[in-house]
Amino acid sequence: MPEVPPVPGNLSELVQAVFAADGALASSLPDFESRAGQTDMAAAVARVFEDGGVLLAEAGTGTGKTIAYLVPAILSRQRVLISTGTKNLQEQIYFKDIPALRDALDVPFTATYMKGRANYLCLHRMDQLSDDPGPARSLGDNVFLPIIREWSRRTETGDRAELEGLPEDLPFWNDVSATAETCLGTECPRYDECFVTRMRQRAAAADVVIVNHHLLCADAAVRQSAFGEVIPAYHNAILDEAHQLEDVATQYFGYSVSSYRVEELARDIERFAASAPPEASDIARAVGRLRDHARAFFSELALAHRAPSSERRPASTRNDRVRATATSLAQASEAAADLTGALDGVEATLALLAGPANGDDKPDASAEIATLVRRAGELRDELRLLLRASDGDYVYFVEFRGRGVFLRAAPIDVSTIVRELLVDRVRTLVLTSATLTVDGGFEYVRQRLGIPRADEICLPSEFDFGSQALLYLPSRMPDPRSADFAMAAGRQVVEILKRTHGRAFVLFTSYATLGAVLAIAELALDYPILAQGTAPRTELLRQFRETPHAILFGTSSFWQGVDVVGEALSCVIVDKLPFASPADPITAARIDAIRERGGDPFGDYQLPLAILALQQGLGRLIRHRRDRGVLAVLDPRLQTKGYGRRFIASLPPAPVVRDLSRIDAFFTDFGPGPHAPESLEGGKRVD
């Protein structure tokens, strides 16, 4: 590994000069204006680059935190890893912020971005489909393959994001994407041309490497496996949208076997068999047994862990989790034994095909067989591990997603994993988000992410919520757990949206309430209504932005990572305080673990988590200094429960109103209107 160059001793001075009123940013960026919060954050990032260590930085919306951390990162002359919560933010940084700073700073540096392998086209798999069609494909697949093949000849990156017309949820992309499971590595005949190979080469030579949390955790998870590292070595990292890190780490540092994964293996084996020698006909029988036993096992698994039926939702959006134990899994033990036996049979059948003849006939055949054998063996080994359900550091559960069945194990506590694989292995680490603090401090996030010591900075939003927003809290609402809540929420939603003329996100904590309120709104309102589950998320957002007075009904995936600037979004309504369901296996296991060590699960975990989620949901509204709108929380517990004070203290400092007429006045006049809104004291808001 090359020696790390020293950080310039005058980095703080360089950064201060860039952000000055007459500095490089003001001279080069037309819309730049010096902001105290942005300058303070940039100074804090510069200090941690100079001294090393960890910085926790909460920067409210409008602070300009991206530029605040990019400038000192670039001027440090170090290799810096930037990790974001979403691919959209990755692209914004690479295609918008980096070019602007390259012009403004007049400092030579290189930058690139990396996404997960499945975002990239695999040339070898595309060739296989073109040369050996194998099992009949749908008409849609036959339409998309020529489009992808033609695009492959002119793309530099192979990133599917370039194919704007490609549906987000197109199943066919899985057949041509560069997944780790199907990769032949250096044995691939297209290795030198491979888009993933080129991505890694660009990253190895770049000063700034932009990834996302999913790739960051996937890289950490495979560092000690046969695949080694994906992201090139780095000593300095900045994690934007760091509030998402615990959830992403929980996903990647576990184990999973699914009906989809088995079926993908079966299809890839069939595709190989279509071009294999005549003796490969044995493969068909082995794959047939694999499919039969997989179907039987996942059916038994589903019967033993029936998903809750209280929430009715489209199959495409269904996602239920049921906790599994060694006892419950034993009910599917016979079918599991048959499935592991079928995987043994597939592995043995494929191994018999490997040999010099195949290597002479088709240079990549032996590598293809070896990859398929490895996948079958990994599936078998992970299935056996999951069926034992014996590791107390993990929670085991069965998940029903769409039409798929998953058997999973997830770490109950990721703090040690994050500390060992991320915090302790870098010289400089910056974690930033608009929502990191609870009760004005960082204790919650430090405990959840295993950060014993850190510098801290908390910067308020640059927006004037006193004039840009109202917070509406209904004076009377039934208990959110009662049967009357959905009807009352529906009436409130209709009355609010009449006053805002649509232009709203209505966010729910459950599909059940979403469905009930949606039915009321569709009967009472004439505005265009979009609902989660009727189209892919990106398509719904596009329609919302382009449709005047539109209303979008959504659940968890719309609570964060969504940016709609301007009048198109003038209202955000939240139905209930977003407490994680204690019926969720991961939440339940974490509650149990906190209780066992003598802690308070509600105060230490459930409440802080809900506060951060509510901040994210309401944070969708004001994204620019010219934005104005209404925040509404329909849950009466915000005002009737003692813990409501902690929620209230975390909300944007907007005037609080209880009368719907105040919403009319707000949109009629600039500012909150002639009557001062109610002040809340004690458990209520103080303006």
PDB file of all heavy atoms in Angstrom, residues 91-124:
ATOM      1  N   GLU A  91     -25.146  10.221  -7.256  1.00  0.00           N
ATOM      2  CA  GLU A  91     -25.118  10.817  -8.591  1.00  0.00           C
ATOM      3  C   GLU A  91     -25.102  12.341  -8.515  1.00  0.00           C
ATOM      4  O   GLU A  91     -24.443  13.003  -9.323  1.00  0.00           O
ATOM      5  CB  GLU A  91     -26.312  10.307  -9.396  1.00  0.00           C
ATOM      6  CG  GLU A  91     -26.180   8.816  -9.721  1.00  0.00           C
ATOM      7  CD  GLU A  91     -27.458   8.215 -10.274  1.00  0.00           C
ATOM      8  OE1 GLU A  91     -28.462   8.949 -10.378  1.00  0.00           O
ATOM      9  OE2 GLU A  91     -27.454   7.006 -10.584  1.00  0.00           O
ATOM     10  N   GLN A  92     -25.818  12.902  -7.528  1.00  0.00           N
ATOM     11  CA  GLN A  92     -25.796  14.354  -7.370  1.00  0.00           C
ATOM     12  C   GLN A  92     -24.378  14.839  -7.050  1.00  0.00           C
ATOM     13  O   GLN A  92     -23.906  15.829  -7.616  1.00  0.00           O
ATOM     14  CB  GLN A  92     -26.744  14.778  -6.253  1.00  0.00           C
ATOM     15  CG  GLN A  92     -26.683  16.275  -5.946  1.00  0.00           C
ATOM     16  CD  GLN A  92     -27.409  16.638  -4.667  1.00  0.00           C
ATOM     17  OE1 GLN A  92     -28.561  16.271  -4.493  1.00  0.00           O
ATOM     18  NE2 GLN A  92     -26.731  17.343  -3.762  1.00  0.00           N
ATOM     19  N   ILE A  93     -23.715  14.133  -6.146  1.00  0.00           N
ATOM     20  CA  ILE A  93     -22.355  14.536  -5.774  1.00  0.00           C
ATOM     21  C   ILE A  93     -21.417  14.421  -6.967  1.00  0.00           C
ATOM     22  O   ILE A  93     -20.634  15.338  -7.251  1.00  0.00           O
ATOM     23  CB  ILE A  93     -21.842  13.678  -4.601  1.00  0.00           C
ATOM     24  CG1 ILE A  93     -22.637  13.995  -3.326  1.00  0.00           C
ATOM     25  CG2 ILE A  93     -20.355  13.916  -4.354  1.00  0.00           C
ATOM     26  CD1 ILE A  93     -22.329  13.059  -2.166  1.00  0.00           C
ATOM     27  N   TYR A  94     -21.503  13.301  -7.697  1.00  0.00           N
ATOM     28  CA  TYR A  94     -20.548  13.066  -8.779  1.00  0.00           C
ATOM     29  C   TYR A  94     -20.812  13.960  -9.993  1.00  0.00           C
ATOM     30  O   TYR A  94     -19.880  14.521 -10.579  1.00  0.00           O
ATOM     31  CB  TYR A  94     -20.588  11.598  -9.204  1.00  0.00           C
ATOM     32  CG  TYR A  94     -19.610  11.287 -10.308  1.00  0.00           C
ATOM     33  CD1 TYR A  94     -18.244  11.196 -10.041  1.00  0.00           C
ATOM     34  CD2 TYR A  94     -20.034  11.112 -11.616  1.00  0.00           C
ATOM     35  CE1 TYR A  94     -17.332  10.931 -11.052  1.00  0.00           C
ATOM     36  CE2 TYR A  94     -19.132  10.845 -12.635  1.00  0.00           C
ATOM     37  CZ  TYR A  94     -17.782  10.757 -12.343  1.00  0.00           C
ATOM     38  OH  TYR A  94     -16.887  10.501 -13.347  1.00  0.00           O
ATOM     39  N   PHE A  95     -22.076  14.091 -10.370  1.00  0.00           N
ATOM     40  CA  PHE A  95     -22.387  14.795 -11.617  1.00  0.00           C
ATOM     41  C   PHE A  95     -22.619  16.292 -11.423  1.00  0.00           C
ATOM     42  O   PHE A  95     -22.536  17.059 -12.385  1.00  0.00           O
ATOM     43  CB  PHE A  95     -23.621  14.172 -12.282  1.00  0.00           C
ATOM     44  CG  PHE A  95     -23.375  12.791 -12.823  1.00  0.00           C
ATOM     45  CD1 PHE A  95     -23.901  11.674 -12.193  1.00  0.00           C
ATOM     46  CD2 PHE A  95     -22.597  12.606 -13.955  1.00  0.00           C
ATOM     47  CE1 PHE A  95     -23.672  10.403 -12.685  1.00  0.00           C
ATOM     48  CE2 PHE A  95     -22.358  11.335 -14.460  1.00  0.00           C
ATOM     49  CZ  PHE A  95     -22.897  10.231 -13.823  1.00  0.00           C
ATOM     50  N   LYS A  96     -22.908  16.736 -10.200  1.00  0.00           N
ATOM     51  CA  LYS A  96     -23.197  18.150  -9.978  1.00  0.00           C
ATOM     52  C   LYS A  96     -22.147  18.816  -9.088  1.00  0.00           C
ATOM     53  O   LYS A  96     -21.502  19.790  -9.484  1.00  0.00           O
ATOM     54  CB  LYS A  96     -24.586  18.300  -9.358  1.00  0.00           C
ATOM     55  CG  LYS A  96     -24.968  19.733  -9.038  1.00  0.00           C
ATOM     56  CD  LYS A  96     -26.328  19.789  -8.352  1.00  0.00           C
ATOM     57  CE  LYS A  96     -26.672  21.216  -7.922  1.00  0.00           C
ATOM     58  NZ  LYS A  96     -27.951  21.277  -7.178  1.00  0.00           N
ATOM     59  N   ASP A  97     -21.962  18.296  -7.874  1.00  0.00           N
ATOM     60  CA  ASP A  97     -21.099  18.979  -6.901  1.00  0.00           C
ATOM     61  C   ASP A  97     -19.617  18.866  -7.250  1.00  0.00           C
ATOM     62  O   ASP A  97     -18.867  19.850  -7.135  1.00  0.00           O
ATOM     63  CB  ASP A  97     -21.347  18.415  -5.493  1.00  0.00           C
ATOM     64  CG  ASP A  97     -22.777  18.639  -5.036  1.00  0.00           C
ATOM     65  OD1 ASP A  97     -23.346  19.673  -5.398  1.00  0.00           O
ATOM     66  OD2 ASP A  97     -23.325  17.775  -4.331  1.00  0.00           O
ATOM     67  N   ILE A  98     -19.173  17.684  -7.655  1.00  0.00           N
ATOM     68  CA  ILE A  98     -17.757  17.503  -7.971  1.00  0.00           C
ATOM     69  C   ILE A  98     -17.310  18.397  -9.133  1.00  0.00           C
ATOM     70  O   ILE A  98     -16.286  19.095  -9.040  1.00  0.00           O
ATOM     71  CB  ILE A  98     -17.447  16.016  -8.255  1.00  0.00           C
ATOM     72  CG1 ILE A  98     -17.532  15.196  -6.954  1.00  0.00           C
ATOM     73  CG2 ILE A  98     -16.081  15.851  -8.908  1.00  0.00           C
ATOM     74  CD1 ILE A  98     -16.463  15.488  -5.941  1.00  0.00           C
ATOM     75  N   PRO A  99     -18.031  18.436 -10.272  1.00  0.00           N
ATOM     76  CA  PRO A  99     -17.602  19.346 -11.353  1.00  0.00           C
ATOM     77  C   PRO A  99     -17.579  20.810 -10.920  1.00  0.00           C
ATOM     78  O   PRO A  99     -16.675  21.558 -11.314  1.00  0.00           O
ATOM     79  CB  PRO A  99     -18.658  19.098 -12.444  1.00  0.00           C
ATOM     80  CG  PRO A  99     -19.165  17.722 -12.180  1.00  0.00           C
ATOM     81  CD  PRO A  99     -19.154  17.574 -10.690  1.00  0.00           C
ATOM     82  N   ALA A 100     -18.564  21.221 -10.104  1.00  0.00           N
ATOM     83  CA  ALA A 100     -18.590  22.615  -9.648  1.00  0.00           C
ATOM     84  C   ALA A 100     -17.370  22.930  -8.794  1.00  0.00           C
ATOM     85  O   ALA A 100     -16.750  23.988  -8.933  1.00  0.00           O
ATOM     86  CB  ALA A 100     -19.877  22.881  -8.873  1.00  0.00           C
ATOM     87  N   LEU A 101     -17.000  21.994  -7.912  1.00  0.00           N
ATOM     88  CA  LEU A 101     -15.847  22.233  -7.043  1.00  0.00           C
ATOM     89  C   LEU A 101     -14.530  22.111  -7.802  1.00  0.00           C
ATOM     90  O   LEU A 101     -13.549  22.784  -7.464  1.00  0.00           O
ATOM     91  CB  LEU A 101     -15.877  21.261  -5.862  1.00  0.00           C
ATOM     92  CG  LEU A 101     -16.991  21.521  -4.841  1.00  0.00           C
ATOM     93  CD1 LEU A 101     -16.967  20.469  -3.741  1.00  0.00           C
ATOM     94  CD2 LEU A 101     -16.861  22.912  -4.239  1.00  0.00           C
ATOM     95  N   ARG A 102     -14.489  21.284  -8.819  1.00  0.00           N
ATOM     96  CA  ARG A 102     -13.268  21.187  -9.624  1.00  0.00           C
ATOM     97  C   ARG A 102     -12.970  22.539 -10.284  1.00  0.00           C
ATOM     98  O   ARG A 102     -11.820  22.982 -10.337  1.00  0.00           O
ATOM     99  CB  ARG A 102     -13.412  20.086 -10.675  1.00  0.00           C
ATOM    100  CG  ARG A 102     -12.149  19.878 -11.499  1.00  0.00           C
ATOM    101  CD  ARG A 102     -12.273  18.703 -12.441  1.00  0.00           C
ATOM    102  NE  ARG A 102     -12.127  17.423 -11.751  1.00  0.00           N
ATOM    103  CZ  ARG A 102     -13.094  16.523 -11.605  1.00  0.00           C
ATOM    104  NH1 ARG A 102     -14.302  16.774 -12.102  1.00  0.00           N
ATOM    105  NH2 ARG A 102     -12.888  15.393 -10.976  1.00  0.00           N
ATOM    106  N   ASP A 103     -14.013  23.205 -10.745  1.00  0.00           N
ATOM    107  CA  ASP A 103     -13.824  24.525 -11.350  1.00  0.00           C
ATOM    108  C   ASP A 103     -13.510  25.582 -10.298  1.00  0.00           C
ATOM    109  O   ASP A 103     -12.659  26.458 -10.506  1.00  0.00           O
ATOM    110  CB  ASP A 103     -15.086  24.936 -12.116  1.00  0.00           C
ATOM    111  CG  ASP A 103     -15.340  24.050 -13.330  1.00  0.00           C
ATOM    112  OD1 ASP A 103     -14.385  23.418 -13.813  1.00  0.00           O
ATOM    113  OD2 ASP A 103     -16.501  23.975 -13.779  1.00  0.00           O
ATOM    114  N   ALA A 104     -14.183  25.485  -9.145  1.00  0.00           N
ATOM    115  CA  ALA A 104     -14.050  26.540  -8.137  1.00  0.00           C
ATOM    116  C   ALA A 104     -12.727  26.485  -7.391  1.00  0.00           C
ATOM    117  O   ALA A 104     -12.102  27.522  -7.126  1.00  0.00           O
ATOM    118  CB  ALA A 104     -15.206  26.448  -7.141  1.00  0.00           C
ATOM    119  N   LEU A 105     -12.276  25.283  -7.047  1.00  0.00           N
ATOM    120  CA  LEU A 105     -11.103  25.163  -6.179  1.00  0.00           C
ATOM    121  C   LEU A 105      -9.787  25.249  -6.926  1.00  0.00           C
ATOM    122  O   LEU A 105      -8.741  25.515  -6.320  1.00  0.00           O
ATOM    123  CB  LEU A 105     -11.172  23.836  -5.407  1.00  0.00           C
ATOM    124  CG  LEU A 105     -12.374  23.677  -4.466  1.00  0.00           C
ATOM    125  CD1 LEU A 105     -12.332  22.315  -3.785  1.00  0.00           C
ATOM    126  CD2 LEU A 105     -12.404  24.790  -3.436  1.00  0.00           C
ATOM    127  N   ASP A 106      -9.825  24.965  -8.226  1.00  0.00           N
ATOM    128  CA  ASP A 106      -8.591  24.999  -9.019  1.00  0.00           C
ATOM    129  C   ASP A 106      -7.513  24.121  -8.407  1.00  0.00           C
ATOM    130  O   ASP A 106      -6.344  24.495  -8.319  1.00  0.00           O
ATOM    131  CB  ASP A 106      -8.088  26.443  -9.167  1.00  0.00           C
ATOM    132  CG  ASP A 106      -7.038  26.567 -10.271  1.00  0.00           C
ATOM    133  OD1 ASP A 106      -7.070  25.735 -11.196  1.00  0.00           O
ATOM    134  OD2 ASP A 106      -6.186  27.466 -10.182  1.00  0.00           O
ATOM    135  N   VAL A 107      -7.949  22.933  -7.929  1.00  0.00           N
ATOM    136  CA  VAL A 107      -7.036  21.943  -7.346  1.00  0.00           C
ATOM    137  C   VAL A 107      -7.175  20.661  -8.159  1.00  0.00           C
ATOM    138  O   VAL A 107      -8.297  20.174  -8.347  1.00  0.00           O
ATOM    139  CB  VAL A 107      -7.380  21.673  -5.867  1.00  0.00           C
ATOM    140  CG1 VAL A 107      -6.564  20.514  -5.330  1.00  0.00           C
ATOM    141  CG2 VAL A 107      -7.134  22.922  -5.032  1.00  0.00           C
ATOM    142  N   PRO A 108      -6.098  20.110  -8.665  1.00  0.00           N
ATOM    143  CA  PRO A 108      -6.225  18.880  -9.449  1.00  0.00           C
ATOM    144  C   PRO A 108      -6.599  17.695  -8.550  1.00  0.00           C
ATOM    145  O   PRO A 108      -5.954  17.433  -7.543  1.00  0.00           O
ATOM    146  CB  PRO A 108      -4.826  18.693 -10.054  1.00  0.00           C
ATOM    147  CG  PRO A 108      -3.911  19.424  -9.116  1.00  0.00           C
ATOM    148  CD  PRO A 108      -4.693  20.578  -8.562  1.00  0.00           C
ATOM    149  N   PHE A 109      -7.674  17.003  -8.891  1.00  0.00           N
ATOM    150  CA  PHE A 109      -8.053  15.783  -8.174  1.00  0.00           C
ATOM    151  C   PHE A 109      -8.928  14.945  -9.095  1.00  0.00           C
ATOM    152  O   PHE A 109      -9.523  15.459 -10.047  1.00  0.00           O
ATOM    153  CB  PHE A 109      -8.787  16.096  -6.862  1.00  0.00           C
ATOM    154  CG  PHE A 109     -10.173  16.658  -7.038  1.00  0.00           C
ATOM    155  CD1 PHE A 109     -11.291  15.825  -7.027  1.00  0.00           C
ATOM    156  CD2 PHE A 109     -10.368  18.027  -7.214  1.00  0.00           C
ATOM    157  CE1 PHE A 109     -12.566  16.344  -7.181  1.00  0.00           C
ATOM    158  CE2 PHE A 109     -11.639  18.558  -7.374  1.00  0.00           C
ATOM    159  CZ  PHE A 109     -12.747  17.713  -7.359  1.00  0.00           C
ATOM    160  N   THR A 110      -8.984  13.664  -8.825  1.00  0.00           N
ATOM    161  CA  THR A 110      -9.816  12.754  -9.614  1.00  0.00           C
ATOM    162  C   THR A 110     -10.915  12.201  -8.724  1.00  0.00           C
ATOM    163  O   THR A 110     -10.751  12.056  -7.516  1.00  0.00           O
ATOM    164  CB  THR A 110      -8.988  11.593 -10.182  1.00  0.00           C
ATOM    165  OG1 THR A 110      -8.302  10.931  -9.104  1.00  0.00           O
ATOM    166  CG2 THR A 110      -7.968  12.098 -11.187  1.00  0.00           C
ATOM    167  N   ALA A 111     -12.034  11.882  -9.336  1.00  0.00           N
ATOM    168  CA  ALA A 111     -13.176  11.356  -8.584  1.00  0.00           C
ATOM    169  C   ALA A 111     -13.897  10.323  -9.427  1.00  0.00           C
ATOM    170  O   ALA A 111     -13.897  10.387 -10.664  1.00  0.00           O
ATOM    171  CB  ALA A 111     -14.128  12.479  -8.190  1.00  0.00           C
ATOM    172  N   THR A 112     -14.518   9.373  -8.765  1.00  0.00           N
ATOM    173  CA  THR A 112     -15.342   8.382  -9.441  1.00  0.00           C
ATOM    174  C   THR A 112     -16.391   7.894  -8.467  1.00  0.00           C
ATOM    175  O   THR A 112     -16.362   8.216  -7.276  1.00  0.00           O
ATOM    176  CB  THR A 112     -14.492   7.203  -9.953  1.00  0.00           C
ATOM    177  OG1 THR A 112     -15.287   6.398 -10.828  1.00  0.00           O
ATOM    178  CG2 THR A 112     -13.998   6.331  -8.808  1.00  0.00           C
ATOM    179  N   TYR A 113     -17.346   7.132  -8.987  1.00  0.00           N
ATOM    180  CA  TYR A 113     -18.356   6.546  -8.101  1.00  0.00           C
ATOM    181  C   TYR A 113     -18.415   5.042  -8.319  1.00  0.00           C
ATOM    182  O   TYR A 113     -18.085   4.531  -9.392  1.00  0.00           O
ATOM    183  CB  TYR A 113     -19.733   7.188  -8.320  1.00  0.00           C
ATOM    184  CG  TYR A 113     -20.397   6.874  -9.643  1.00  0.00           C
ATOM    185  CD1 TYR A 113     -21.226   5.760  -9.797  1.00  0.00           C
ATOM    186  CD2 TYR A 113     -20.217   7.705 -10.746  1.00  0.00           C
ATOM    187  CE1 TYR A 113     -21.837   5.481 -11.000  1.00  0.00           C
ATOM    188  CE2 TYR A 113     -20.827   7.442 -11.960  1.00  0.00           C
ATOM    189  CZ  TYR A 113     -21.643   6.324 -12.080  1.00  0.00           C
ATOM    190  OH  TYR A 113     -22.246   6.038 -13.277  1.00  0.00           O
ATOM    191  N   MET A 114     -18.844   4.335  -7.286  1.00  0.00           N
ATOM    192  CA  MET A 114     -19.000   2.888  -7.333  1.00  0.00           C
ATOM    193  C   MET A 114     -20.385   2.534  -6.792  1.00  0.00           C
ATOM    194  O   MET A 114     -20.797   3.057  -5.759  1.00  0.00           O
ATOM    195  CB  MET A 114     -17.942   2.185  -6.470  1.00  0.00           C
ATOM    196  CG  MET A 114     -16.503   2.493  -6.815  1.00  0.00           C
ATOM    197  SD  MET A 114     -15.345   1.656  -5.674  1.00  0.00           S
ATOM    198  CE  MET A 114     -15.470  -0.049  -6.266  1.00  0.00           C
ATOM    199  N   LYS A 115     -21.057   1.653  -7.495  1.00  0.00           N
ATOM    200  CA  LYS A 115     -22.331   1.126  -7.006  1.00  0.00           C
ATOM    201  C   LYS A 115     -22.197  -0.374  -6.820  1.00  0.00           C
ATOM    202  O   LYS A 115     -21.200  -0.986  -7.212  1.00  0.00           O
ATOM    203  CB  LYS A 115     -23.454   1.435  -8.000  1.00  0.00           C
ATOM    204  CG  LYS A 115     -23.726   2.920  -8.189  1.00  0.00           C
ATOM    205  CD  LYS A 115     -24.850   3.128  -9.195  1.00  0.00           C
ATOM    206  CE  LYS A 115     -25.128   4.602  -9.435  1.00  0.00           C
ATOM    207  NZ  LYS A 115     -26.178   4.808 -10.462  1.00  0.00           N
ATOM    208  N   GLY A 116     -23.212  -0.983  -6.248  1.00  0.00           N
ATOM    209  CA  GLY A 116     -23.221  -2.428  -6.108  1.00  0.00           C
ATOM    210  C   GLY A 116     -23.192  -3.111  -7.460  1.00  0.00           C
ATOM    211  O   GLY A 116     -23.684  -2.577  -8.463  1.00  0.00           O
ATOM    212  N   ARG A 117     -22.607  -4.295  -7.503  1.00  0.00           N
ATOM    213  CA  ARG A 117     -22.388  -4.989  -8.772  1.00  0.00           C
ATOM    214  C   ARG A 117     -23.663  -5.145  -9.593  1.00  0.00           C
ATOM    215  O   ARG A 117     -23.640  -5.083 -10.819  1.00  0.00           O
ATOM    216  CB  ARG A 117     -21.799  -6.372  -8.506  1.00  0.00           C
ATOM    217  CG  ARG A 117     -20.485  -6.390  -7.766  1.00  0.00           C
ATOM    218  CD  ARG A 117     -20.074  -7.839  -7.538  1.00  0.00           C
ATOM    219  NE  ARG A 117     -19.982  -8.524  -8.814  1.00  0.00           N
ATOM    220  CZ  ARG A 117     -18.849  -8.917  -9.388  1.00  0.00           C
ATOM    221  NH1 ARG A 117     -17.697  -8.697  -8.783  1.00  0.00           N
ATOM    222  NH2 ARG A 117     -18.843  -9.531 -10.537  1.00  0.00           N
ATOM    223  N   ALA A 118     -24.795  -5.362  -8.918  1.00  0.00           N
ATOM    224  CA  ALA A 118     -26.036  -5.627  -9.642  1.00  0.00           C
ATOM    225  C   ALA A 118     -26.509  -4.434 -10.463  1.00  0.00           C
ATOM    226  O   ALA A 118     -27.409  -4.565 -11.293  1.00  0.00           O
ATOM    227  CB  ALA A 118     -27.141  -6.052  -8.676  1.00  0.00           C
ATOM    228  N   ASN A 119     -25.901  -3.262 -10.268  1.00  0.00           N
ATOM    229  CA  ASN A 119     -26.240  -2.092 -11.073  1.00  0.00           C
ATOM    230  C   ASN A 119     -25.543  -2.105 -12.431  1.00  0.00           C
ATOM    231  O   ASN A 119     -25.854  -1.261 -13.278  1.00  0.00           O
ATOM    232  CB  ASN A 119     -25.843  -0.813 -10.332  1.00  0.00           C
ATOM    233  CG  ASN A 119     -26.713  -0.545  -9.134  1.00  0.00           C
ATOM    234  OD1 ASN A 119     -27.817  -0.033  -9.257  1.00  0.00           O
ATOM    235  ND2 ASN A 119     -26.222  -0.901  -7.962  1.00  0.00           N
ATOM    236  N   TYR A 120     -24.601  -3.029 -12.631  1.00  0.00           N
ATOM    237  CA  TYR A 120     -23.780  -3.020 -13.841  1.00  0.00           C
ATOM    238  C   TYR A 120     -24.107  -4.197 -14.747  1.00  0.00           C
ATOM    239  O   TYR A 120     -24.418  -5.304 -14.283  1.00  0.00           O
ATOM    240  CB  TYR A 120     -22.295  -3.032 -13.472  1.00  0.00           C
ATOM    241  CG  TYR A 120     -21.866  -1.801 -12.718  1.00  0.00           C
ATOM    242  CD1 TYR A 120     -21.862  -1.781 -11.326  1.00  0.00           C
ATOM    243  CD2 TYR A 120     -21.499  -0.644 -13.390  1.00  0.00           C
ATOM    244  CE1 TYR A 120     -21.489  -0.650 -10.624  1.00  0.00           C
ATOM    245  CE2 TYR A 120     -21.127   0.499 -12.702  1.00  0.00           C
ATOM    246  CZ  TYR A 120     -21.127   0.488 -11.313  1.00  0.00           C
ATOM    247  OH  TYR A 120     -20.769   1.619 -10.623  1.00  0.00           O
ATOM    248  N   LEU A 121     -23.995  -3.965 -16.018  1.00  0.00           N
ATOM    249  CA  LEU A 121     -24.203  -5.006 -17.016  1.00  0.00           C
ATOM    250  C   LEU A 121     -23.040  -5.987 -17.003  1.00  0.00           C
ATOM    251  O   LEU A 121     -21.873  -5.591 -16.952  1.00  0.00           O
ATOM    252  CB  LEU A 121     -24.313  -4.365 -18.401  1.00  0.00           C
ATOM    253  CG  LEU A 121     -24.389  -5.320 -19.595  1.00  0.00           C
ATOM    254  CD1 LEU A 121     -25.703  -6.095 -19.567  1.00  0.00           C
ATOM    255  CD2 LEU A 121     -24.254  -4.539 -20.908  1.00  0.00           C
ATOM    256  N   CYS A 122     -23.355  -7.278 -17.059  1.00  0.00           N
ATOM    257  CA  CYS A 122     -22.342  -8.322 -17.221  1.00  0.00           C
ATOM    258  C   CYS A 122     -22.297  -8.701 -18.701  1.00  0.00           C
ATOM    259  O   CYS A 122     -23.253  -9.276 -19.235  1.00  0.00           O
ATOM    260  CB  CYS A 122     -22.681  -9.546 -16.366  1.00  0.00           C
ATOM    261  SG  CYS A 122     -21.549 -10.937 -16.623  1.00  0.00           S
ATOM    262  N   LEU A 123     -21.199  -8.390 -19.352  1.00  0.00           N
ATOM    263  CA  LEU A 123     -21.068  -8.667 -20.782  1.00  0.00           C
ATOM    264  C   LEU A 123     -21.118 -10.165 -21.069  1.00  0.00           C
ATOM    265  O   LEU A 123     -21.683 -10.596 -22.085  1.00  0.00           O
ATOM    266  CB  LEU A 123     -19.760  -8.070 -21.299  1.00  0.00           C
ATOM    267  CG  LEU A 123     -19.675  -6.533 -21.274  1.00  0.00           C
ATOM    268  CD1 LEU A 123     -18.247  -6.081 -21.561  1.00  0.00           C
ATOM    269  CD2 LEU A 123     -20.645  -5.927 -22.285  1.00  0.00           C
ATOM    270  N   HIS A 124     -20.528 -10.958 -20.181  1.00  0.00           N
ATOM    271  CA  HIS A 124     -20.509 -12.404 -20.401  1.00  0.00           C
ATOM    272  C   HIS A 124     -21.919 -12.991 -20.331  1.00  0.00           C
ATOM    273  O   HIS A 124     -22.304 -13.809 -21.173  1.00  0.00           O
ATOM    274  CB  HIS A 124     -19.607 -13.069 -19.364  1.00  0.00           C
ATOM    275  CG  HIS A 124     -19.557 -14.564 -19.476  1.00  0.00           C
ATOM    276  ND1 HIS A 124     -19.173 -15.207 -20.620  1.00  0.00           N
ATOM    277  CD2 HIS A 124     -19.868 -15.547 -18.578  1.00  0.00           C
ATOM    278  CE1 HIS A 124     -19.220 -16.519 -20.443  1.00  0.00           C
ATOM    279  NE2 HIS A 124     -19.655 -16.752 -19.213  1.00  0.00           N
TER     280      HIS A 124
END
